[in-house]
Amino acid sequence: MAKWILYHTDGCHLCEQAQDLITPLLGDDRLQLVDIMSDEELITEYQTSIPVLKSDQGPQLFWPFTAQDVCQFLRKQNKSKQIVWI
């Protein structure tokens, strides 16, 4: 089962919107939230692009995205498991 990371930071309204889109599709057990402020390398890499959804296999989905975009990204990254967008 694939794991997913949402790179974000506290107080980011776009990050909150992204989490609200992603959580119903993945659930809390498959989504790991990583605050970029916890690591200098993450700040350098993502400071101007958060929120970013990343597969544990490497591919990333950058904001802006819709629930449909997330669903398509999840399907592409996890072809063996059908994810239903509601």
Side-chain angles (χ1 to χ4, degrees):
M1 183 179 293
K3 287 284 195 177
W4 306 88
I5 299 169
L6 179 62
Y7 291 108
H8 73 101
T9 195
D10 289 339
C12 170
H13 72 283
L14 298 177
C15 299
E16 292 168 4
Q17 289 176 18
Q19 185 177 355
D20 289 345
L21 289 174
I22 296 165
T23 300
L25 298 172
L26 288 175
D28 290 329
D29 61 327
R30 294 183 61 204
L31 182 62
Q32 177 184 1
L33 301 176
V34 175
D35 189 333
I36 65 164
M37 298 306 286
S38 65
D39 183 298
E40 288 293 327
E41 288 182 29
L42 293 177
I43 292 170
T44 300
E45 187 170 352
Y46 295 110
Q47 67 184 341
T48 61
S49 59
I50 57 170
V52 176
L53 179 62
K54 184 176 179 180
S55 164
D56 63 357
Q57 299 169 359
Q60 301 176 92
L61 180 63
F62 291 86
W63 189 262
F65 48 77
T66 65
Q68 187 172 7
D69 296 331
V70 171
C71 196
Q72 290 172 349
F73 178 71
L74 298 176
R75 282 190 187 116
K76 185 176 179 181
Q77 300 309 311
N78 193 13
K79 293 177 184 177
S80 64
K81 180 172 175 65
Q82 183 175 359
I83 297 176
V84 179
W85 179 57
I86 299 172

